[in-house]
Amino acid sequence: AQSVTQPDIHITVSEGASLELRCNYSYGATPYLFWYVQSPGQGLQLLLKYFSGDTLVQGIKGFEAEFKRSQSSFNLRKPSVHWSDAAEYFCAVGAGSSYKLIFGSGTRLLVRP
Amino acid sequence: NAGVMQNPRHLVRRRGQEARLRCSPMKGHSHVYWYRQLPEEGLKFMVYLQKENIIDESGMPKERFSAEFPKEGPSILRIQQVVRGDSAAYFCASSPYTQGLNAEAFFGQGTRLTVV
C-alpha cells in the first residue's frame, strides 16, 4: 500500500539556520509529490509540487525540495529559516492520482530566536 | 476573493447525533475534496465532488457518511449517528478543475468535530 513517512515529529532550528524536513514515500511508480504548510488556525497552503522533469523544485517562501527516486525521498529545504516559518509541514503523495493525496503525519517546526 | 470557507470551525456532538459540515469553495471553483485528519495522523482523502456529481468516494466509510455538492450552495459532509471514533478535523479543499499540474487545490481551515 502507498504510504508517506515524515520521520521527525518536531524539529527546532535557530532563526537564520538552514532547514531540511524529511519525507519518504512508498509507491511503485513515480508519484506526484507535494509539500504543504499549515500555520495555527489556518488551512493548508501548497509550498511546492513535483510532477515530472527537473528533480529540484522551487516553491514559495524560499523553499525547495528534491525528488530522489533511488531513496524514495522528497525532502524539503530552506537555506535560512525565518521566525514566521514556524508551522506544521506536511508531505503528500498522489499515487496514481493527482488529487487523491496521501499525507504524512506532519513535522512541527519550531524556530528559536 | 474569499478563500475556502468551512463552518462551523468547531462542532460538538453527542454519540448518535448527526453532524453536518459545510464547505463553500472559492469563487469560480467547481471541484471539492474532503479529507479527514485523525489525531496524530496525516490527512486522509475521503471524497472528490464536482457540482451535483460524486467523482471519487473511495475514501469514504461505507456507512453513516455521505457527501453532496449541489448546484447551488455549499458542499455538505454528513455523518449520521456519530461515534467517538469520528472525532477528527475535517478539511475541505477546492480547485477550478481537477487538482493536478495546472490546478492547485486550496484548503479551508477545517472543522474540528468532537463526539462526546
Side-chain angles (χ1 to χ4, degrees), chain A:
Chain A
Q2 299 90 4
S3 64
V4 179
T5 302
Q6 293 181 248
D8 304 304
I9 298 174
H10 300 279
I11 281 188
T12 301
V13 299
S14 298
E15 191 168 15
S18 64
L19 170 70
E20 182 168 26
L21 302 182
R22 296 183 290 165
C23 173
N24 293 95
Y25 66 88
S26 170
Y27 182 59
T30 299
Y32 305 114
L33 296 160
F34 303 78
W35 273 100
Y36 287 86
V37 61
Q38 184 180 28
S39 299
Q42 303 298 314
L44 280 74
Q45 181 182 21
L46 180 66
L47 287 175
L48 46 79
K49 59 188 176 186
Y50 171 80
F51 276 57
S52 63
D54 193 344
T55 56
L56 185 62
V57 181
Q58 301 298 320
I60 62 172
K61 304 186 179 186
F63 285 93
E64 67 177 25
E66 186 172 11
F67 169 53
K68 292 186 177 180
R69 184 191 305 275
S70 61
Q71 298 177 19
S72 297
S73 69
F74 189 55
N75 294 348
L76 182 71
R77 300 193 294 248
K78 186 169 184 178
S80 178
V81 168
H82 188 262
W83 65 266
S84 60
D85 293 324
E88 186 146 24
Y89 291 80
F90 292 93
C91 178
V93 163
S97 160
S98 63
Y99 64 82
K100 187 161 47 178
L101 303 185
I102 301 166
F103 283 79
S105 53
T107 296
R108 185 168 297 279
L109 173 65
L110 303 174
V111 180
R112 275 193 299 256

Side-chain angles (χ1 to χ4, degrees), chain B residues 14-85:
Chain B
R14 296 184 185 280
R15 283 178 293 168
Q17 290 185 320
E18 178 180 285
R20 279 183 177 245
L21 288 64
R22 286 177 289 278
C23 170
S24 297
M26 289 181 68
K27 187 175 181 180
H29 287 194
S30 58
H31 297 241
V32 166
Y33 317 83
W34 284 93
Y35 284 82
R36 176 167 66 173
Q37 184 181 27
L38 295 170
E40 307 302 322
E41 296 185 14
L43 284 74
K44 289 185 167 46
F45 171 83
M46 298 181 76
V47 62
Y48 166 29
L49 309 107
Q50 293 178 27
K51 287 280 188 182
E52 300 183 279
N53 283 305
I54 296 174
I55 306 303
D56 183 345
E57 57 180 349
S58 58
M60 288 278 273
K62 294 290 185 279
E63 297 177 349
R64 301 187 298 108
F65 285 72
S66 63
E68 63 177 8
F69 188 17
K71 187 177 180 181
E72 301 290 338
S75 175
I76 305 288
L77 179 67
R78 182 181 178 209
I79 311 173
Q80 295 178 290
Q81 300 175 318
V82 296
V83 301
R84 287 228 172 97

